[in-house]
Amino acid sequence: IKNIVERDEVLKVNQNFSFEVRDPKSAVLLIQFYGKGVLGLEDCIGTCKNMPVENLLEQTDGADKVLEAQWYELYSKDGRKKRSGKILMHILVGTAEAEQRMRAFVGTWNVGNSCPPVDLSAWLPTDARYEIVAIGTQECDYQPRPPFTECGMDWLETCKNHVGSRYRIVHFISRGQMRLVVFVRDDAEKAVCNVDCGSEATGVGHVMANKGGVCISFKFWDTGICFVNSHFAAHDGQCETRNGNYREIVGELRVGFQSMDLLNQFHHVFWMGDLNYRLDFAETEERTMTPQRRFWHAQVKQIVDGQVKQLLKYDELLREKSASRVLHGFKEGDINFPPTFKMQKESTNIYSQKRMPAWCDRVLWRSFEGYDVKLLSYTYCPAVSTSDHKPVSATFALTAHSLPPSNFGNPIDDDNRRWHIRFTSLRANKLRASDINGSSDPYILFTGLNLIQDFKSKVKHQTLDPVWNPHQDLPTIVLSTIPLQRLEKEYLMIQVLDYDYTSADDTL
């Protein structure tokens, strides 16, 4: 684990990492602390005394018992001399079940840059029924309440107070007015590892962070989970701009496995936010910034009469998703609640005539084949009334898996003792033209966490319908994973790229 000193001279330490123990009775945890010594060479500052894993397990025996964070003394390499300094560590040790059922709460709210109410219990869970709680906000920039001087910290404390003392923060990220926090319940904390985060601005010049996305990813045992909170372009007539916001976030935001986009490396991706998709009446009504009063009243009457299904026929997101122009492969629950925008502040069900009502605030999810998610609820919260948006929440039930270790014995076994993948045929057709001459130079990148390395096919020049010869053009893919039980849950990622002589290769 390497430490990175950031610009503000804060020592950033990767506090969260995991490893598999095959034989707890004989395994020993050894931690050494290094620093740069004379001439910039690495020098061992100290080492902690050996910690038998079996002892650590005994100390955490019981579902509700965890080791407390504590300072550990440092010694010389041979353990005979005590060194100056200590290292603070919080060690979590646990034995995973092969499968663990879990529940997750996902909430999104455009705060409207107004101070939120003290009581958000009508929206946020307070009873510790969920292993994971993810809360995303947009336009969350208001005057912080004492003792806080920064809005982000005020909002984080508000969330912590509501979910309660049984929850630990997995991570909290802010960019501009977008914020995302993920909590894990204390009895599930030991299952969380490989935490990462990222952000992408899609505002003016792709730099302004008034629009864009933030995300937090992690593993729950061996199941990869990613939460994305986003804020797309506003206003009627900007549907394609919103689609472009989505494409930019997916294409540019990198977490976890850097060579793959966030959609294709996690077993579950939950996407929330003020996506800003509107009701499109362009075929029957002239598009104006402020809707015609008579037409606005007619649509609001349908909402009051409970005829939301009629209005959903004009929902841009449902239309664009159905045509695979945005959020392809994502699922969304049935919308049985009224539009969440644009509300009059300090009201539970009164809409503002400045804009046509719309379901701007959404929660969707996407899962790998074989990793199903059950939607338990999808609703809104009319009682929270400080913003012109109503909060939305969705709850889920899913199964997390714990898999056997990737390999046994010598990790540098020769290839003949590993699993191989060979293709007997591989072709593509009707690829996108990436070059100005209307063609592409496609090749295939094979990647994944269970490969000993990335593998590439040969480049096929100037074609949109490439055919690769399995004997001459394709590599034999070698896996690092050995147990069959693990292979049943692992994935091979296949990415089609356009080879470029002068710049970065484009994804086709």
PDB file of all heavy atoms in Angstrom, residues 16-43:
ATOM      1  N   ASN A  16      -8.213   0.792   2.940  1.00  0.00           N
ATOM      2  CA  ASN A  16      -9.129  -0.317   2.748  1.00  0.00           C
ATOM      3  C   ASN A  16      -8.572  -1.276   1.712  1.00  0.00           C
ATOM      4  O   ASN A  16      -8.474  -0.943   0.548  1.00  0.00           O
ATOM      5  CB  ASN A  16     -10.489   0.229   2.289  1.00  0.00           C
ATOM      6  CG  ASN A  16     -11.556  -0.850   2.305  1.00  0.00           C
ATOM      7  OD1 ASN A  16     -11.436  -1.850   1.614  1.00  0.00           O
ATOM      8  ND2 ASN A  16     -12.593  -0.643   3.079  1.00  0.00           N
ATOM      9  N   PHE A  17      -8.161  -2.450   2.149  1.00  0.00           N
ATOM     10  CA  PHE A  17      -7.695  -3.461   1.214  1.00  0.00           C
ATOM     11  C   PHE A  17      -8.028  -4.827   1.799  1.00  0.00           C
ATOM     12  O   PHE A  17      -8.297  -4.965   2.993  1.00  0.00           O
ATOM     13  CB  PHE A  17      -6.198  -3.337   0.946  1.00  0.00           C
ATOM     14  CG  PHE A  17      -5.330  -3.538   2.167  1.00  0.00           C
ATOM     15  CD1 PHE A  17      -4.700  -4.747   2.402  1.00  0.00           C
ATOM     16  CD2 PHE A  17      -5.143  -2.511   3.070  1.00  0.00           C
ATOM     17  CE1 PHE A  17      -3.910  -4.941   3.518  1.00  0.00           C
ATOM     18  CE2 PHE A  17      -4.343  -2.686   4.186  1.00  0.00           C
ATOM     19  CZ  PHE A  17      -3.730  -3.912   4.414  1.00  0.00           C
ATOM     20  N   SER A  18      -8.024  -5.843   0.968  1.00  0.00           N
ATOM     21  CA  SER A  18      -8.394  -7.171   1.457  1.00  0.00           C
ATOM     22  C   SER A  18      -7.505  -8.222   0.829  1.00  0.00           C
ATOM     23  O   SER A  18      -6.879  -8.002  -0.205  1.00  0.00           O
ATOM     24  CB  SER A  18      -9.857  -7.479   1.122  1.00  0.00           C
ATOM     25  OG  SER A  18     -10.009  -7.658  -0.274  1.00  0.00           O
ATOM     26  N   PHE A  19      -7.436  -9.356   1.482  1.00  0.00           N
ATOM     27  CA  PHE A  19      -6.728 -10.495   0.912  1.00  0.00           C
ATOM     28  C   PHE A  19      -7.364 -11.770   1.446  1.00  0.00           C
ATOM     29  O   PHE A  19      -8.018 -11.773   2.493  1.00  0.00           O
ATOM     30  CB  PHE A  19      -5.230 -10.450   1.238  1.00  0.00           C
ATOM     31  CG  PHE A  19      -4.920 -10.277   2.697  1.00  0.00           C
ATOM     32  CD1 PHE A  19      -4.783 -11.373   3.525  1.00  0.00           C
ATOM     33  CD2 PHE A  19      -4.771  -9.009   3.242  1.00  0.00           C
ATOM     34  CE1 PHE A  19      -4.499 -11.225   4.872  1.00  0.00           C
ATOM     35  CE2 PHE A  19      -4.495  -8.841   4.588  1.00  0.00           C
ATOM     36  CZ  PHE A  19      -4.359  -9.963   5.406  1.00  0.00           C
ATOM     37  N   GLU A  20      -7.188 -12.839   0.695  1.00  0.00           N
ATOM     38  CA  GLU A  20      -7.799 -14.113   1.067  1.00  0.00           C
ATOM     39  C   GLU A  20      -6.819 -14.940   1.894  1.00  0.00           C
ATOM     40  O   GLU A  20      -5.621 -14.946   1.631  1.00  0.00           O
ATOM     41  CB  GLU A  20      -8.184 -14.891  -0.199  1.00  0.00           C
ATOM     42  CG  GLU A  20      -9.227 -14.157  -1.041  1.00  0.00           C
ATOM     43  CD  GLU A  20      -9.188 -14.582  -2.490  1.00  0.00           C
ATOM     44  OE1 GLU A  20      -8.110 -14.973  -2.965  1.00  0.00           O
ATOM     45  OE2 GLU A  20     -10.232 -14.524  -3.146  1.00  0.00           O
ATOM     46  N   VAL A  21      -7.340 -15.623   2.881  1.00  0.00           N
ATOM     47  CA  VAL A  21      -6.533 -16.496   3.731  1.00  0.00           C
ATOM     48  C   VAL A  21      -7.001 -17.926   3.503  1.00  0.00           C
ATOM     49  O   VAL A  21      -8.157 -18.259   3.783  1.00  0.00           O
ATOM     50  CB  VAL A  21      -6.689 -16.105   5.220  1.00  0.00           C
ATOM     51  CG1 VAL A  21      -5.891 -17.061   6.094  1.00  0.00           C
ATOM     52  CG2 VAL A  21      -6.233 -14.674   5.434  1.00  0.00           C
ATOM     53  N   ARG A  22      -6.114 -18.772   2.985  1.00  0.00           N
ATOM     54  CA  ARG A  22      -6.505 -20.145   2.685  1.00  0.00           C
ATOM     55  C   ARG A  22      -6.514 -21.023   3.932  1.00  0.00           C
ATOM     56  O   ARG A  22      -7.338 -21.901   4.078  1.00  0.00           O
ATOM     57  CB  ARG A  22      -5.556 -20.736   1.627  1.00  0.00           C
ATOM     58  CG  ARG A  22      -5.612 -19.989   0.302  1.00  0.00           C
ATOM     59  CD  ARG A  22      -4.812 -20.730  -0.758  1.00  0.00           C
ATOM     60  NE  ARG A  22      -4.783 -19.960  -1.999  1.00  0.00           N
ATOM     61  CZ  ARG A  22      -3.842 -19.085  -2.301  1.00  0.00           C
ATOM     62  NH1 ARG A  22      -2.853 -18.881  -1.462  1.00  0.00           N
ATOM     63  NH2 ARG A  22      -3.868 -18.412  -3.431  1.00  0.00           N
ATOM     64  N   ASP A  23      -5.557 -20.798   4.825  1.00  0.00           N
ATOM     65  CA  ASP A  23      -5.450 -21.628   6.022  1.00  0.00           C
ATOM     66  C   ASP A  23      -5.297 -20.728   7.242  1.00  0.00           C
ATOM     67  O   ASP A  23      -4.187 -20.362   7.626  1.00  0.00           O
ATOM     68  CB  ASP A  23      -4.245 -22.572   5.909  1.00  0.00           C
ATOM     69  CG  ASP A  23      -4.157 -23.528   7.092  1.00  0.00           C
ATOM     70  OD1 ASP A  23      -5.089 -23.523   7.919  1.00  0.00           O
ATOM     71  OD2 ASP A  23      -3.163 -24.276   7.191  1.00  0.00           O
ATOM     72  N   PRO A  24      -6.402 -20.347   7.866  1.00  0.00           N
ATOM     73  CA  PRO A  24      -6.326 -19.418   9.007  1.00  0.00           C
ATOM     74  C   PRO A  24      -5.476 -19.935  10.160  1.00  0.00           C
ATOM     75  O   PRO A  24      -4.920 -19.154  10.919  1.00  0.00           O
ATOM     76  CB  PRO A  24      -7.796 -19.271   9.435  1.00  0.00           C
ATOM     77  CG  PRO A  24      -8.582 -19.656   8.225  1.00  0.00           C
ATOM     78  CD  PRO A  24      -7.795 -20.694   7.525  1.00  0.00           C
ATOM     79  N   LYS A  25      -5.351 -21.251  10.297  1.00  0.00           N
ATOM     80  CA  LYS A  25      -4.593 -21.793  11.424  1.00  0.00           C
ATOM     81  C   LYS A  25      -3.100 -21.500  11.314  1.00  0.00           C
ATOM     82  O   LYS A  25      -2.410 -21.386  12.325  1.00  0.00           O
ATOM     83  CB  LYS A  25      -4.839 -23.297  11.535  1.00  0.00           C
ATOM     84  CG  LYS A  25      -6.266 -23.643  11.964  1.00  0.00           C
ATOM     85  CD  LYS A  25      -6.433 -25.142  12.168  1.00  0.00           C
ATOM     86  CE  LYS A  25      -7.854 -25.457  12.643  1.00  0.00           C
ATOM     87  NZ  LYS A  25      -8.043 -26.909  12.864  1.00  0.00           N
ATOM     88  N   SER A  26      -2.591 -21.416  10.096  1.00  0.00           N
ATOM     89  CA  SER A  26      -1.147 -21.196   9.923  1.00  0.00           C
ATOM     90  C   SER A  26      -0.811 -19.797   9.422  1.00  0.00           C
ATOM     91  O   SER A  26       0.344 -19.387   9.455  1.00  0.00           O
ATOM     92  CB  SER A  26      -0.578 -22.231   8.944  1.00  0.00           C
ATOM     93  OG  SER A  26      -1.173 -22.069   7.666  1.00  0.00           O
ATOM     94  N   ALA A  27      -1.829 -19.037   8.950  1.00  0.00           N
ATOM     95  CA  ALA A  27      -1.553 -17.732   8.339  1.00  0.00           C
ATOM     96  C   ALA A  27      -1.160 -16.697   9.389  1.00  0.00           C
ATOM     97  O   ALA A  27      -1.682 -16.689  10.500  1.00  0.00           O
ATOM     98  CB  ALA A  27      -2.779 -17.252   7.564  1.00  0.00           C
ATOM     99  N   VAL A  28      -0.225 -15.825   8.998  1.00  0.00           N
ATOM    100  CA  VAL A  28       0.251 -14.763   9.871  1.00  0.00           C
ATOM    101  C   VAL A  28       0.179 -13.444   9.111  1.00  0.00           C
ATOM    102  O   VAL A  28       0.568 -13.366   7.943  1.00  0.00           O
ATOM    103  CB  VAL A  28       1.698 -15.029  10.330  1.00  0.00           C
ATOM    104  CG1 VAL A  28       2.255 -13.830  11.089  1.00  0.00           C
ATOM    105  CG2 VAL A  28       1.752 -16.272  11.207  1.00  0.00           C
ATOM    106  N   LEU A  29      -0.337 -12.411   9.765  1.00  0.00           N
ATOM    107  CA  LEU A  29      -0.389 -11.075   9.174  1.00  0.00           C
ATOM    108  C   LEU A  29       0.877 -10.320   9.584  1.00  0.00           C
ATOM    109  O   LEU A  29       1.159 -10.159  10.777  1.00  0.00           O
ATOM    110  CB  LEU A  29      -1.629 -10.340   9.664  1.00  0.00           C
ATOM    111  CG  LEU A  29      -1.819  -8.899   9.173  1.00  0.00           C
ATOM    112  CD1 LEU A  29      -1.937  -8.841   7.659  1.00  0.00           C
ATOM    113  CD2 LEU A  29      -3.048  -8.270   9.811  1.00  0.00           C
ATOM    114  N   LEU A  30       1.644  -9.887   8.592  1.00  0.00           N
ATOM    115  CA  LEU A  30       2.889  -9.148   8.840  1.00  0.00           C
ATOM    116  C   LEU A  30       2.787  -7.798   8.142  1.00  0.00           C
ATOM    117  O   LEU A  30       2.526  -7.735   6.939  1.00  0.00           O
ATOM    118  CB  LEU A  30       4.097  -9.921   8.309  1.00  0.00           C
ATOM    119  CG  LEU A  30       5.448  -9.201   8.346  1.00  0.00           C
ATOM    120  CD1 LEU A  30       5.860  -8.922   9.782  1.00  0.00           C
ATOM    121  CD2 LEU A  30       6.524 -10.010   7.638  1.00  0.00           C
ATOM    122  N   ILE A  31       3.001  -6.718   8.873  1.00  0.00           N
ATOM    123  CA  ILE A  31       2.899  -5.372   8.308  1.00  0.00           C
ATOM    124  C   ILE A  31       4.204  -4.632   8.534  1.00  0.00           C
ATOM    125  O   ILE A  31       4.683  -4.527   9.674  1.00  0.00           O
ATOM    126  CB  ILE A  31       1.718  -4.602   8.943  1.00  0.00           C
ATOM    127  CG1 ILE A  31       0.401  -5.323   8.617  1.00  0.00           C
ATOM    128  CG2 ILE A  31       1.674  -3.161   8.440  1.00  0.00           C
ATOM    129  CD1 ILE A  31      -0.800  -4.756   9.321  1.00  0.00           C
ATOM    130  N   GLN A  32       4.789  -4.148   7.448  1.00  0.00           N
ATOM    131  CA  GLN A  32       6.037  -3.386   7.516  1.00  0.00           C
ATOM    132  C   GLN A  32       5.789  -1.973   7.002  1.00  0.00           C
ATOM    133  O   GLN A  32       5.018  -1.766   6.069  1.00  0.00           O
ATOM    134  CB  GLN A  32       7.137  -4.069   6.696  1.00  0.00           C
ATOM    135  CG  GLN A  32       7.539  -5.420   7.254  1.00  0.00           C
ATOM    136  CD  GLN A  32       8.619  -6.091   6.417  1.00  0.00           C
ATOM    137  OE1 GLN A  32       8.672  -5.890   5.207  1.00  0.00           O
ATOM    138  NE2 GLN A  32       9.454  -6.890   7.058  1.00  0.00           N
ATOM    139  N   PHE A  33       6.469  -1.010   7.611  1.00  0.00           N
ATOM    140  CA  PHE A  33       6.268   0.403   7.318  1.00  0.00           C
ATOM    141  C   PHE A  33       7.570   0.961   6.751  1.00  0.00           C
ATOM    142  O   PHE A  33       8.619   0.873   7.397  1.00  0.00           O
ATOM    143  CB  PHE A  33       5.884   1.120   8.617  1.00  0.00           C
ATOM    144  CG  PHE A  33       5.352   2.506   8.419  1.00  0.00           C
ATOM    145  CD1 PHE A  33       4.546   2.829   7.339  1.00  0.00           C
ATOM    146  CD2 PHE A  33       5.638   3.500   9.334  1.00  0.00           C
ATOM    147  CE1 PHE A  33       4.046   4.105   7.163  1.00  0.00           C
ATOM    148  CE2 PHE A  33       5.154   4.785   9.173  1.00  0.00           C
ATOM    149  CZ  PHE A  33       4.356   5.082   8.079  1.00  0.00           C
ATOM    150  N   TYR A  34       7.497   1.505   5.529  1.00  0.00           N
ATOM    151  CA  TYR A  34       8.685   1.999   4.839  1.00  0.00           C
ATOM    152  C   TYR A  34       8.630   3.503   4.630  1.00  0.00           C
ATOM    153  O   TYR A  34       7.548   4.092   4.535  1.00  0.00           O
ATOM    154  CB  TYR A  34       8.835   1.318   3.473  1.00  0.00           C
ATOM    155  CG  TYR A  34       9.390  -0.085   3.542  1.00  0.00           C
ATOM    156  CD1 TYR A  34       8.559  -1.156   3.821  1.00  0.00           C
ATOM    157  CD2 TYR A  34      10.742  -0.328   3.332  1.00  0.00           C
ATOM    158  CE1 TYR A  34       9.047  -2.450   3.891  1.00  0.00           C
ATOM    159  CE2 TYR A  34      11.246  -1.610   3.400  1.00  0.00           C
ATOM    160  CZ  TYR A  34      10.403  -2.665   3.673  1.00  0.00           C
ATOM    161  OH  TYR A  34      10.906  -3.935   3.746  1.00  0.00           O
ATOM    162  N   GLY A  35       9.767   4.111   4.512  1.00  0.00           N
ATOM    163  CA  GLY A  35       9.880   5.520   4.152  1.00  0.00           C
ATOM    164  C   GLY A  35      11.171   5.734   3.390  1.00  0.00           C
ATOM    165  O   GLY A  35      12.039   4.848   3.329  1.00  0.00           O
ATOM    166  N   LYS A  36      11.294   6.895   2.782  1.00  0.00           N
ATOM    167  CA  LYS A  36      12.507   7.204   2.031  1.00  0.00           C
ATOM    168  C   LYS A  36      13.597   7.666   2.989  1.00  0.00           C
ATOM    169  O   LYS A  36      13.423   8.601   3.761  1.00  0.00           O
ATOM    170  CB  LYS A  36      12.237   8.260   0.970  1.00  0.00           C
ATOM    171  CG  LYS A  36      11.455   7.706  -0.216  1.00  0.00           C
ATOM    172  CD  LYS A  36      11.349   8.713  -1.346  1.00  0.00           C
ATOM    173  CE  LYS A  36      10.627   8.088  -2.538  1.00  0.00           C
ATOM    174  NZ  LYS A  36      10.498   9.049  -3.657  1.00  0.00           N
ATOM    175  N   GLY A  37      14.740   7.000   2.903  1.00  0.00           N
ATOM    176  CA  GLY A  37      15.849   7.330   3.776  1.00  0.00           C
ATOM    177  C   GLY A  37      16.912   8.129   3.050  1.00  0.00           C
ATOM    178  O   GLY A  37      16.622   8.943   2.165  1.00  0.00           O
ATOM    179  N   VAL A  38      18.172   7.882   3.375  1.00  0.00           N
ATOM    180  CA  VAL A  38      19.303   8.576   2.768  1.00  0.00           C
ATOM    181  C   VAL A  38      19.327   8.305   1.265  1.00  0.00           C
ATOM    182  O   VAL A  38      19.072   7.196   0.811  1.00  0.00           O
ATOM    183  CB  VAL A  38      20.626   8.109   3.425  1.00  0.00           C
ATOM    184  CG1 VAL A  38      21.807   8.853   2.822  1.00  0.00           C
ATOM    185  CG2 VAL A  38      20.568   8.332   4.932  1.00  0.00           C
ATOM    186  N   LEU A  39      19.588   9.364   0.491  1.00  0.00           N
ATOM    187  CA  LEU A  39      19.678   9.291  -0.972  1.00  0.00           C
ATOM    188  C   LEU A  39      18.341   8.889  -1.619  1.00  0.00           C
ATOM    189  O   LEU A  39      18.311   8.448  -2.767  1.00  0.00           O
ATOM    190  CB  LEU A  39      20.781   8.312  -1.404  1.00  0.00           C
ATOM    191  CG  LEU A  39      22.192   8.607  -0.864  1.00  0.00           C
ATOM    192  CD1 LEU A  39      23.164   7.531  -1.318  1.00  0.00           C
ATOM    193  CD2 LEU A  39      22.661   9.982  -1.334  1.00  0.00           C
ATOM    194  N   GLY A  40      17.251   9.037  -0.875  1.00  0.00           N
ATOM    195  CA  GLY A  40      15.942   8.729  -1.446  1.00  0.00           C
ATOM    196  C   GLY A  40      15.624   7.260  -1.533  1.00  0.00           C
ATOM    197  O   GLY A  40      14.625   6.877  -2.141  1.00  0.00           O
ATOM    198  N   LEU A  41      16.476   6.411  -0.952  1.00  0.00           N
ATOM    199  CA  LEU A  41      16.241   4.969  -1.013  1.00  0.00           C
ATOM    200  C   LEU A  41      15.223   4.561   0.045  1.00  0.00           C
ATOM    201  O   LEU A  41      15.152   5.147   1.124  1.00  0.00           O
ATOM    202  CB  LEU A  41      17.553   4.215  -0.796  1.00  0.00           C
ATOM    203  CG  LEU A  41      18.669   4.512  -1.808  1.00  0.00           C
ATOM    204  CD1 LEU A  41      19.938   3.767  -1.406  1.00  0.00           C
ATOM    205  CD2 LEU A  41      18.226   4.112  -3.204  1.00  0.00           C
ATOM    206  N   GLU A  42      14.436   3.528  -0.270  1.00  0.00           N
ATOM    207  CA  GLU A  42      13.443   3.057   0.679  1.00  0.00           C
ATOM    208  C   GLU A  42      14.121   2.381   1.861  1.00  0.00           C
ATOM    209  O   GLU A  42      15.056   1.590   1.701  1.00  0.00           O
ATOM    210  CB  GLU A  42      12.469   2.083   0.005  1.00  0.00           C
ATOM    211  CG  GLU A  42      11.421   2.780  -0.852  1.00  0.00           C
ATOM    212  CD  GLU A  42      10.285   1.850  -1.243  1.00  0.00           C
ATOM    213  OE1 GLU A  42      10.434   0.636  -1.026  1.00  0.00           O
ATOM    214  OE2 GLU A  42       9.271   2.338  -1.769  1.00  0.00           O
ATOM    215  N   ASP A  43      13.634   2.701   3.038  1.00  0.00           N
ATOM    216  CA  ASP A  43      14.210   2.143   4.253  1.00  0.00           C
ATOM    217  C   ASP A  43      13.073   1.688   5.154  1.00  0.00           C
ATOM    218  O   ASP A  43      12.050   2.362   5.284  1.00  0.00           O
ATOM    219  CB  ASP A  43      15.058   3.210   4.952  1.00  0.00           C
ATOM    220  CG  ASP A  43      15.760   2.657   6.179  1.00  0.00           C
ATOM    221  OD1 ASP A  43      16.097   1.456   6.156  1.00  0.00           O
ATOM    222  OD2 ASP A  43      15.964   3.413   7.135  1.00  0.00           O
TER     223      ASP A  43
END
